[in-house]
Amino acid sequence: MDYIKHKVPPVREDRLMACQAYGGTCGDLSNDSKKGCLYASKRTFSQTQGCQLNLSLGMISSMRDAVMVIHSPIGCGGNLIQNAGINKVFQKLRQQSAVGLRWINTNLSEVDVISGGEAKLRQAVLKAEREFRPSAILVFNSCVPALIGDDIDGILDDLQKQVSARIVPIHCEGFKTKIQATAYDSVYHGLIRNLVGEDKSTKPAIIRTPEEELEHQEKISKTVNLLNVGSMSRIDEEELVRLLKALDLNVRILPSYSHPEDFTYAHEAALNVSICATHDDYFVEHFQKLYGIPYVLRTIPIGIANTNKWLRDIAAHFGIEEQAEKLIAAETAELNKAIEPFKAEFKGKTAFLTGGEVRILTTAELLHNLGFEILGLRGYHFDKYGEILLEEYMEDVPNSEKAIFNIGSGQVFEQANLLSKITPDLFVGHIGVNGSAAKQGYPIFPLFGQSDDYLGYKGVYEVATRVSRILRNASFNKNLGKNTRLPYRDSWYEQDPFTYIDDSASIAARIG
Amino acid sequence: MSKVIERPRYVCALGGAIGTIQSLPRAIPILHSSSGCGGNLAGALSGASGYNGGNYCGGQALPSSNVSERDIVFGGEGRLHEQIENTLKVMDGDLYFVVTGCMVEMIGDNVHAVTKRFKDGKLPVLAAETVSFKGNSYYGYELVLETLFREFVEPAPVKDPGTVNLWGVVPMQDVFWKGNLGVLKGLLKKLGFETNTFFGQGETLENLKNSGKASLNIVVSEAYGIEAAKVFEEVHDVPYITLPLPVGDHGTSRFLRTVGKALGVDEIKIEKLIQEERKAYYPYLERLADVYNDLDFQRYATVVGDPNYTQAITRFLSDDLGWLPELIVITDILGEEQKERVLASFGEYESGLRPEIVFDEDASSVVGYINRHWPQNQGQKYYKGFAPGVIIGSVMERDTAEQFKVPLLPVTYPISNRVVLNRAYAGYSGGLTLAEDVLSLVVAHR
């Protein structure tokens, strides 16, 4: 992988042949995916979803001491408004002196669309510098400037000479892709090109004595970059740091909630540790290519099996397998004892999960381990990383090949139809689709949370206690189920949930 | 040239249009836009509006053609036709309304040509070009109303003198819209009129369809909904008046007198109603007599937000509560004519107060205006500043309030640190609610 020299990264449809419309079973999906003909399917009726600008902001708007410039008409980035007054709370967990979200919208008007938005972009960046003196200015490019052909990179290169903040262009025009996860590539692309590595033009290089250098290299040899995601809570981070420290490793956490300076020496690390391939493959592969840093990418440490796999992969890199096995044995013995009562409680209960491919497959494994039967999954998209995980999941969970697998971000009409047919005891969902399931009366466990723990061994116990609590009284959602109605015709529920997925192109590809 | 805006308190025309349509009973918006537009706007529409949620059809349930690069090259009309056809099959509504995003405007899709093909079907399919770079949420609200008034409201040559329509309270942008519409409807009922508010509790699409027979349109805003009123007058021959959103006794009594006069209600009847309302209102405020005075509850206030609320709260604080709302920051994008109308709605205070009013869209500017109005302490021993002070604004004023160590009551959009269900600030009852909320802040930390 080597896209870093380009100004703009490729979209995931092209880079990973990612699929965004599918309906079948886990077994079908695994087979069809291996044939590589899923990416061309589409929907003839669709509901809205997020875009890569939206997700880019979700991922990196938490950066401390930074100002975002959204180069767009006034509505883009509108999702930030709901976090405007509250995000500071989460930032403060990482740094007491953090300030809240700050962003500037270039407010492109009809005149700008005709005559170009470049002057406004300049104005916005200079205003960000003048008013806030941030350490970095993150510039997000939207659909309109892309279509009118504003020379974003040219202007920002020029502006970089006038401002002291590091300028980071993030090209994330919504219309370019239906796979929102392309956002991760866009953000990392901008960060790697503009923040990683010391800026020797402004700061003199650090000079070390040979002894200091030896000590420094020793430290680097035990340092890992732990890549977090916007949906990861501070408690999640603390649990993973606890486990990595137990293996005598130093941990640097990037990129959500980081400070721009945290990236300067990000290449001084022995290993990049991802918790999600959907999130990080672009970053870790480029870091390997540019700086020779290897990576761990296979799975997210959710549930016992996947936390063990995650730790073993890391340990194997450092040759400390024995130490890791001891840690795993001690942790799992303690945890298994603690979750024993829940297994009896959850035995025979059923669940349905929806969200990112990596997160739902690992969470499904966790719930299976707690005694649940998994009736179905809905992934936001599906690609080669999902393919590997799905295979491992089907090996770990007996009879899972018959469970439903639906692919599509948003598309809650398909979800509503599916739920009316398979009626699980528990619904586990990504934000954005839980309200819909709630109106059908299901108890709901959110797939992630900014204030809760999901990861590592502690995460397993926390998930078990919360699921137990939620199942104990689902009256709120039951009341909604009885007294509200989703905006679909009764006739819709009688149809096949995948009626509006058009996979004629993939069928043609399969035959051809 | 329009300005760049630091932390805008509104989204685009598309966002305003979606918020407006989804607040109509059983109406289904259909987005003809990039796949991300609806998802991007969802947080602003529901999360930032006191957790207003998506109503019947909002959030990720919104049908959308989800155009992407391929459609943008080849045109999106075919995809829109398919989307409308299938939306009518899947989505259960009584009114379908196509709204557009930037991309489809830039590639020149003719949405009206597409929706026209559905004209003779059983279900109404309307369309408005809510192009985002042409205006913000409020513009989207106007466009939707104009389209409804032109194409959905049925002609009614005979007018009903007992029926009026009322709008100007913008769903979502006024976080308390539903409660406020209910209160205003109730007041007009007491004057003897039936009111269509289109978006309030218990309204139906039938009311909207038959609203052409109203004898007067009341726009409760000096900034928003006025263009739509002109359209209504042109198409259905119903005159309109504009007047400020009322909160508390002084605002609401003015409201009743203005509306009553326009409707030809006998002055004695109006004054009688005002007296009755005051008889219910002041005994509640009377309870504060001791605490207000024993503890010296008068405060300086900075009011930040849209023109509807800033003027309403300023009058309430000045004339009902006897406070000193000396600094008002209006954060909306307004034209010169709008600014003049809005400015005129601040004034004629019983208190004789003359607040400083500034127009500024940037959220972080508020700090500067407070410092300018109440100059900062330069280390002097004797010093008079913004103390005791209160800020009434939005959640975006949280940091500012912290900085000045004053309480903040979020009343104007966005609000994400309160949950709002049926609370209302309009009218006499709304004034009591506002008094409860703002004085609770003052006593909470005793």
Side-chain angles (χ1 to χ4, degrees), chain B residues 103-339:
Chain B
M103 289 297 97
V104 301
E105 163 79 7
M106 290 176 78
I107 60 176
D109 277 4
N110 186 343
V111 288
H112 296 289
V114 178
T115 51
K116 223 173 170 181
R117 297 180 212 154
F118 295 87
K119 213 178 163 203
D120 298 324
K122 264 200 317 210
L123 297 158
V125 181
L126 305 178
E129 287 168 311
T130 51
V131 181
S132 301
F133 49 76
K134 288 187 181 168
N136 67 359
S137 303
Y138 296 104
Y139 179 63
Y141 170 73
E142 294 268 9
L143 288 181
V144 168
L145 287 183
E146 286 174 25
T147 307
L148 289 169
F149 296 163
R150 276 188 204 283
E151 297 176 31
F152 188 71
V153 172
E154 289 181 347
V158 183
K159 304 299 174 196
D160 172 7
T163 301
V164 298
N165 303 317
L166 180 145
W167 67 83
V169 173
V170 184
M172 311 285 184
Q173 284 294 129
D174 178 344
V175 178
F176 307 88
W177 56 280
K178 206 151 192 172
N180 285 347
L181 288 172
V183 166
L184 297 176
K185 186 176 179 134
L187 281 169
L188 291 171
K189 179 100 188 160
K190 288 180 182 172
L191 267 189
F193 295 88
E194 288 302 323
T195 310
N196 299 311
T197 65
F198 313 145
F199 305 101
Q201 185 55 45
E203 297 286 333
T204 65
L205 284 179
E206 278 308 299
N207 294 345
L208 171 59
K209 196 182 261 179
N210 297 327
S211 62
K213 69 173 199 242
S215 57
L216 182 69
N217 289 326
I218 302 166
V219 183
V220 199
S221 174
E222 295 296 2
Y224 304 119
I226 300 171
E227 293 308 309
K230 290 176 187 164
V231 168
F232 206 115
E233 184 164 35
E234 172 202 320
V235 179
H236 300 285
D237 197 25
V238 178
Y240 70 93
I241 56 166
T242 67
L243 74 178
L245 177 75
V247 171
D249 171 28
H250 288 81
T252 312
S253 298
R254 288 165 73 100
F255 171 86
L256 286 175
R257 289 188 184 113
T258 312
V259 174
K261 195 173 166 204
L263 287 167
V265 180
D266 181 38
E267 218 169 283
I268 296 165
K269 190 178 173 187
I270 298 169
E271 292 308 318
K272 204 172 150 234
L273 174 59
I274 290 170
Q275 285 317 316
E276 275 169 22
E277 292 292 326
R278 282 180 175 158
K279 259 189 225 162
Y281 183 73
Y282 282 101
Y284 283 108
L285 286 187
E286 183 187 2
R287 296 180 183 178
L288 297 169
D290 286 330
V291 70
Y292 183 105
N293 295 292
D294 289 351
L295 301 173
D296 185 11
F297 268 178
Q298 189 186 50
R299 294 289 182 269
Y300 292 101
T302 299
V303 186
V304 187
D306 64 85
N308 283 9
Y309 267 115
T310 45
Q311 66 74 27
I313 291 165
T314 303
R315 188 170 305 281
F316 172 79
L317 293 180
S318 156
D319 290 358
D320 283 35
L321 219 50
W323 280 20
L324 298 161
E326 289 186 358
L327 174 63
I328 317 301
V329 185
I330 298 174
T331 49
D332 285 2
I333 306 169
L334 298 172
E336 283 312 311
E337 196 193 332
Q338 275 176 314
K339 278 186 187 173

Side-chain angles (χ1 to χ4, degrees), chain A residues 217-266:
Chain A
Q217 291 304 328
E218 167 70 17
K219 196 179 164 208
I220 293 174
S221 74
K222 291 193 132 193
T223 297
V224 298
N225 289 324
L226 173 63
L227 303 173
N228 64 355
V229 293
S231 56
M232 197 162 157
S233 71
R234 182 61 192 149
I235 322 174
D236 281 331
E237 287 172 6
E238 282 165 354
E239 166 67 354
L240 297 188
V241 169
R242 178 182 77 87
L243 295 174
L244 294 172
K245 283 205 168 151
L247 298 176
D248 300 319
L249 298 171
N250 309 313
V251 187
R252 179 193 291 121
I253 304 177
L254 299 168
S256 297
Y257 295 102
S258 59
H259 189 281
E261 284 172 5
D262 296 343
F263 291 90
T264 311
Y265 298 104

